[in-house]
Amino acid sequence: MKSEKQQRKCITAFSSGTGCAGIVGYAYKSLLSELFGWGLSTIVWSAILFAVAYYRTFCAGLYEMDIRLEEAQTRLDNERCASSAEAEELNGTAAAAAEQRSSLEMVTQPQDEEGNDSPTLLPQLSSELTNTTTKSVHHMTACERFQTVLSLWPYTIPLFFVYMTEYMMQAGVWPAIGFPVTSASARGQFYHYANWTYQVGVFVSRSSGNMFTVSLTMLWVMPMLQLVNLCLFWLISVHHFWYDYSLLIMCFVVGLLGGGVYVQGYNRINADMPKELREFALSSASVADSVGILVADISSLFIQSCIYQRNGIDGAVVNCPL
């Protein structure tokens, strides 16, 4: 298994890459819609080519991994043979040499105490070259795994909360802001630039993982600040007391907080969890942000409807419950 520092670099690289993907995605959509006049449906279908390219890259990567494992197995076998040759010289007898050769055969076809063939052991390569958590996790019961997932609440709650609040802004509040708000094209233009600015903030903060790791207290403070941003944007969308494109500054801050909780949350898991559970914990905690997005998308339908109602705008998908 990689060291905590090496894993932090991997987490930051992944986080930064996904942050950059948001910027590239918006650039791709803008390029094809504004320069070539493509509709959203056509743009989405054209993006399937990227999925095919990712699949081909993934398969090629697995092939290279298989080649490296085979080379490592060959080196390990050669080292065993060299060790056996040295043992033969020390023993100086044919019987000792035969015993050494027999021990090498036992690696692939071991015998039990009575001399009968026993099931083939797992290759020693897997334990020597890949010190992973798979064995430990596989030995856990379903109840133990569930308890481990629940124990991650100091990290999953901030992830859930920050994603829920920022996606409420993206899907519920920002589409209801425009200059003037009664213009559908103006609302669409602000939404476009707000998300551009947000993605830049996400990219910047997600790229900071190698520079520092925040405390667990600060990890909880950042989602609270994101809630303040949500309340601020809701008040602005209703009362219009700060109503111009300088709001993009706050959109950038929203991106900074969202990306910061993402990379720092996973860095904290990587630093705090025992190495036997790190990979399991990292993969399990990733569900929290997805659940936050789901809750936000449903809630945003009603948030946007209420803002539309306050501004006298038609077109809401659902009725405001207030």
Side-chain angles (χ1 to χ4, degrees), residues 226-301:
Q226 199 74 298
L227 176 61
V228 172
N229 285 332
L230 172 60
C231 295
L232 175 63
F233 271 106
W234 182 82
L235 290 172
I236 290 172
S237 66
V238 172
H239 299 288
H240 300 184
F241 58 85
W242 177 9
Y243 218 63
D244 54 44
Y245 274 103
S246 62
L247 282 174
L248 295 179
I249 298 173
M250 294 306 302
C251 297
F252 179 76
V253 174
V254 170
L256 287 179
L257 290 173
V261 172
Y262 184 89
V263 67
Q264 296 299 336
Y266 288 116
N267 275 344
R268 279 253 56 95
I269 294 175
N270 184 52
D272 298 343
M273 296 296 293
K275 65 180 182 179
E276 294 80 9
L277 296 176
R278 280 178 192 163
E279 294 183 15
F280 177 73
L282 289 169
S283 59
S284 300
S286 64
V287 178
D289 52 75
S290 299
V291 175
I293 294 173
L294 175 62
V295 173
D297 287 342
I298 297 174
S299 303
S300 295
L301 294 173

Side-chain angles (χ1 to χ4, degrees), residues 18-315:
T18 52
C20 183
I23 300 175
V24 175
Y26 263 87
Y28 181 77
K29 185 262 181 185
S30 299
L31 177 68
L32 296 182
S33 62
E34 295 181 11
L35 294 184
F36 299 101
W38 288 14
L40 181 60
S41 178
T42 305
I43 294 173
V44 171
W45 278 105
S46 69
I48 294 178
L49 295 175
F50 291 102
V52 175
Y54 293 154
Y55 173 76
R56 296 293 301 172
T57 303
F58 177 75
C59 292
L62 286 181
Y63 175 76
E64 291 294 331
M65 183 182 298
D66 290 339
I67 295 298
R68 293 177 183 177
L69 286 175
E70 290 178 4
E71 292 175 350
Q73 178 70 71
T74 301
R75 288 196 302 269
L76 189 59
D77 290 341
N78 292 337
E79 290 174 2
R80 290 172 181 161
C81 291
S83 299
S84 298
E86 293 176 2
E88 281 185 42
E89 280 184 45
L90 293 174
N91 291 335
T93 63
E99 183 179 353
Q100 291 296 321
R101 286 193 297 272
S102 176
S103 66
L104 287 176
E105 294 174 359
M106 295 285 290
V107 171
T108 56
Q109 188 61 41
Q111 296 180 338
D112 56 23
E113 294 179 355
E114 298 179 357
N116 298 320
D117 289 342
S118 61
T120 302
L121 298 176
L122 289 175
Q124 294 182 9
L125 177 67
S126 61
S127 60
E128 294 181 20
L129 297 182
T130 56
N131 182 21
T132 65
T133 65
T134 305
K135 183 176 180 180
S136 299
V137 173
H138 283 177
H139 284 166
M140 295 169 62
T141 65
C143 183
E144 289 172 336
R145 294 184 191 182
F146 185 65
Q147 289 176 348
T148 301
V149 173
L150 293 181
S151 70
L152 298 175
W153 66 266
Y155 316 99
T156 54
I157 291 179
L159 281 168
F160 166 83
F161 202 76
V162 79
Y163 266 79
M164 181 186 69
T165 50
E166 69 185 46
Y167 273 79
M168 283 181 177
M169 283 181 272
Q170 282 187 289
V173 182
W174 292 353
I177 296 178
F179 319 114
V181 70
T182 53
S183 170
S185 60
R187 295 195 303 271
Q189 188 175 30
F190 174 79
Y191 180 80
H192 181 74
Y193 288 125
N195 277 278
W196 260 104
T197 312
Y198 162 83
Q199 295 294 346
V200 173
V202 169
F203 173 65
V204 171
S205 59
R206 286 194 179 190
S207 303
S208 66
N210 288 332
M211 301 178 185
F212 57 89
T213 300
V214 303
S215 65
L216 191 59
T217 301
M218 183 56 64
L219 186 66
W220 279 70
V221 169
M222 288 191 287
M224 298 301 106
L225 295 176
Q226 199 74 298
L227 176 61
V228 172
N229 285 332
L230 172 60
C231 295
L232 175 63
F233 271 106
W234 182 82
L235 290 172
I236 290 172
S237 66
V238 172
H239 299 288
H240 300 184
F241 58 85
W242 177 9
Y243 218 63
D244 54 44
Y245 274 103
S246 62
L247 282 174
L248 295 179
I249 298 173
M250 294 306 302
C251 297
F252 179 76
V253 174
V254 170
L256 287 179
L257 290 173
V261 172
Y262 184 89
V263 67
Q264 296 299 336
Y266 288 116
N267 275 344
R268 279 253 56 95
I269 294 175
N270 184 52
D272 298 343
M273 296 296 293
K275 65 180 182 179
E276 294 80 9
L277 296 176
R278 280 178 192 163
E279 294 183 15
F280 177 73
L282 289 169
S283 59
S284 300
S286 64
V287 178
D289 52 75
S290 299
V291 175
I293 294 173
L294 175 62
V295 173
D297 287 342
I298 297 174
S299 303
S300 295
L301 294 173
F302 299 96
I303 293 173
Q304 185 185 85
S305 175
C306 292
I307 297 175
Y308 272 24
Q309 179 178 289
R310 292 295 297 269
N311 286 282
I313 304 172
D314 297 325

